[in-house]
Amino acid sequence: MLIGSVALYLLLTIAIGLWAARRVHNSKDYLVAGRSLPLYMTAATVFATWFGAETVLSVSATFTRDGLGGIIADPFGASFCLLFVALFFARAFYRMDLLTIGDFYRKRYNKPVELVTSVAITASYLGWTSAQLTALGLVFSVLSGGKIDLTTGILIGAAIVVVYTLWGGMWSVALTDLFQSVVILLGLSGVAWLVSDMAGGAGKVIAAASEAGKFDFWPKGGSKEWLAFLAAWMTLAIGSIPQQDVFQRVTSAKDEKTAVRATLLGGAVYFCFAFVPIFIAYSALVIDPGYAKLFAAEDAREIQRILPDLILNKTPMWAQILFFGALLSAILSTASGAIIAPTALFTENVIKPLYGGMTDRQFVLLLRVVFVIFTLAALLFALNSKSTMYEMVQNAYKVTLVSCIVPLAAGIYWKRATTVGAMLSVLFGLLSWTIAEWAATDATIIPPQLVGLSFSIIGMVLGSFVPRAATEAAAHHHGER
């Protein structure tokens, strides 16, 4: 019955995605849903895109092992990202009437800056997309009792996402996100109520977590621990701002006010509801302390089995249907957005400029081809990674933290930011971060991504001031003559 219910759910999701394709008439419909989404749909896309596999399976498991201090990146950093976007970036994004975030770098700076930032942002999505595909593989493996191995499960999951997103683009993402958000909220709430009762009540679960020190938030130690804590938070809070999926949701709203409100609403719901799977996961340890043995597994990904194993082995069928329906909703909604975003960015800002005179119909066709290619690239990444989904997501955003946030923020809020400054910011940030990652050891005090961010700021300042100062000095000297 469980497998049949899951299959029915997947078919319904595919049907919604294909039905949404009827609304796609041009590239604007495909990329930003015609800029027509109302508040509730825009908020649902923000929530559903962020509430993914890592939130349900990996963040919750990381909390059971490391406590609140171990999840500073997500949900804390991720939620602050949406707050920052709503307050400081949403209006600017919407007013510029752009299709992709790469268009901003071209309009504010030039095409070379557009190219390097677009490539960097696209590359950052490999980790995030791979995390969702890995989660799909894990779910199918668990549901089949191991008959479907992780590799086969990942392949099946990727095929499903491609089928329901390929033709409808952002319209498919928006309508399926709305449906999936409802399933997530109802499904996980029902499971949390049941599991709480099994564990002896919410009070007992919270008391057990408190006694185990899981609510210790601030780092213990010296500057090394504090810098690592800050870096983890900044990686998602700031590094995920210059991302196409965030930009896409903001600019898909029907107007500027809706864009701001929906981002705030989606972020608030995300932050609050992220603690539901965390509560369920810790309830699992209260119900059966034996789950703690997963913390010692050689493969770090094993801790992500806490929730699926609990639900399959300890709960009735109706709870299993609710949980896996909610879990698949979380994964599919995030996976579809995580693939359509880099597809849009790479096609619009890297490939399209190479071919002049492309019609809108040809552009939409090219978008679909790139969509499939990026999915294949993410598949290869997923099949060869041994990291947890939480780690994969954090690593993805390090790229944009060290290369793209400084040119973006400076381009909006600093009038003296120049094209030379933007290019040096990207290059200094990426190069210094790469070197720092290569040279890092257990004794390293400053996290590599903070090194990269610092050099990115230095590159922007030097590139914006030095050429101007040299020009002014030359002009002054010429005037004296």
Side-chain angles (χ1 to χ4, degrees):
M1 182 178 177
L2 175 59
I3 295 178
S5 299
V6 168
L8 181 62
Y9 169 78
L10 292 174
L11 289 174
L12 180 58
T13 299
I14 292 172
I16 293 173
L18 293 177
W19 178 76
R22 300 194 309 169
R23 299 185 177 215
V24 176
H25 304 294
N26 52 50
S27 58
K28 191 174 182 179
D29 290 333
Y30 194 87
L31 295 179
V32 290
R35 282 203 176 88
S36 60
L37 299 185
L39 176 65
Y40 69 94
M41 287 188 71
T42 307
T45 63
V46 171
F47 166 76
T49 298
W50 283 77
F51 198 92
E54 73 285 353
T55 311
V56 180
L57 298 178
S58 202
V59 173
S60 60
T62 302
F63 171 83
T64 63
R65 184 186 62 190
D66 303 329
L68 277 182
I71 57 171
I72 180 62
D74 193 2
F76 293 98
S79 300
F80 267 93
C81 166
L82 295 175
L83 175 65
F84 293 153
V85 168
L87 296 180
F88 304 114
F89 295 93
R91 290 182 176 86
F93 285 164
Y94 202 89
R95 289 171 184 173
M96 293 184 75
D97 193 29
L98 310 172
L99 277 179
T100 69
I101 195 169
D103 291 344
F104 169 84
Y105 293 102
R106 184 185 69 251
K107 285 193 173 185
R108 178 60 178 84
Y109 301 112
N110 63 6
K111 288 187 176 182
V113 175
E114 169 196 19
L115 179 63
V116 295
T117 52
S118 297
V119 171
I121 295 171
T122 300
S124 74
Y125 274 96
L126 283 173
W128 191 22
T129 307
S130 299
Q132 311 312 314
L133 298 181
T134 300
L136 284 172
L138 176 63
V139 170
F140 292 134
S141 178
V142 170
L143 285 175
S144 66
K147 294 179 181 178
I148 297 177
D149 60 28
L150 183 61
T151 298
T152 304
I154 290 174
L155 293 172
I156 294 173
I160 292 171
V161 174
V162 167
V163 167
Y164 86 81
T165 310
L166 179 62
W167 304 107
M170 190 58 195
W171 267 116
S172 290
V173 171
L175 292 179
T176 53
D177 277 0
L178 180 62
F179 166 66
Q180 289 158 348
S181 294
V182 174
V183 175
I184 291 169
L185 294 172
L186 295 179
L188 287 183
S189 295
V191 172
W193 173 79
L194 172 67
V195 171
S196 173
D197 187 58
M198 293 170 58
K204 183 178 179 180
V205 175
I206 294 172
S210 180
E211 290 174 8
K214 300 302 179 183
F215 295 141
D216 293 342
F217 183 70
W218 302 109
K220 296 177 181 179
S223 57
K224 178 182 178 181
E225 287 74 21
W226 276 94
L227 285 172
F229 184 82
L230 176 65
W233 178 80
M234 290 181 67
T235 297
L236 260 76
I238 300 176
S240 53
I241 291 174
Q243 288 284 347
Q244 174 63 18
D245 60 303
V246 175
F247 173 89
Q248 232 166 345
R249 275 135 195 80
V250 168
T251 55
S252 294
K254 65 179 182 179
D255 54 48
E256 183 181 314
K257 185 181 293 185
T258 299
V260 175
R261 290 177 175 176
T263 306
L264 285 173
L265 178 59
V269 174
Y270 172 75
F271 179 77
C272 295
F273 208 74
F275 288 94
V276 174
I278 288 174
F279 172 79
I280 298 173
Y282 207 81
S283 296
L285 286 185
V286 175
I287 295 169
D288 184 358
Y291 285 118
K293 67 185 179 186
L294 293 173
F295 299 158
E298 291 185 10
D299 189 339
R301 296 176 297 179
E302 285 300 304
I303 67 170
Q304 298 169 161
R305 290 183 174 270
I306 291 177
L307 278 185
D309 286 353
L310 169 74
I311 300 302
L312 278 178
N313 298 326
K314 307 279 187 184
T315 64
M317 183 59 65
W318 66 266
Q320 295 177 24
I321 294 173
L322 281 180
F323 174 78
F324 282 102
L327 177 58
L328 283 171
S329 293
I331 298 170
L332 291 172
S333 60
T334 303
S336 59
I339 299 177
I340 193 67
T343 294
L345 184 65
F346 195 78
T347 308
E348 166 72 12
N349 303 105
V350 178
I351 300 179
K352 187 179 178 182
L354 300 176
Y355 300 94
M358 184 181 295
T359 66
D360 194 69
R361 186 174 181 179
Q362 290 172 327
F363 180 52
V364 173
L365 176 61
L366 181 60
L367 282 167
R368 289 170 174 150
V369 172
V370 175
F371 183 94
V372 174
I373 294 173
F374 185 83
T375 304
L376 292 175
L379 266 176
L380 290 175
F381 195 96
L383 294 173
N384 290 282
S385 175
K386 299 297 182 183
S387 301
T388 67
M389 287 171 273
Y390 188 64
E391 293 166 341
M392 291 168 79
V393 170
Q394 285 193 74
N395 290 333
Y397 290 126
K398 290 178 182 178
V399 178
T400 44
L401 175 68
V402 304
S403 62
C404 300
I405 184 59
V406 173
L408 175 65
I412 295 175
Y413 290 105
W414 192 34
K415 293 182 179 180
R416 300 191 70 173
T418 65
T419 298
V420 174
M423 183 61 74
L424 288 182
S425 178
V426 176
L427 297 179
F428 277 23
L430 286 173
L431 182 61
S432 61
W433 169 63
T434 302
I435 294 173
E437 285 280 2
W438 174 77
T441 65
D442 291 338
T444 299
I445 295 177
I446 303 177
Q449 64 264 47
L450 292 189
V451 173
L453 178 61
S454 299
F455 273 89
S456 181
I457 295 172
I458 291 172
M460 173 58 75
V461 174
L462 288 178
S464 297
F465 275 118
V466 173
R468 179 182 284 116
T471 301
E472 291 175 354
H476 179 71
H477 178 70
H478 180 74
E480 289 182 345
R481 295 182 60 187

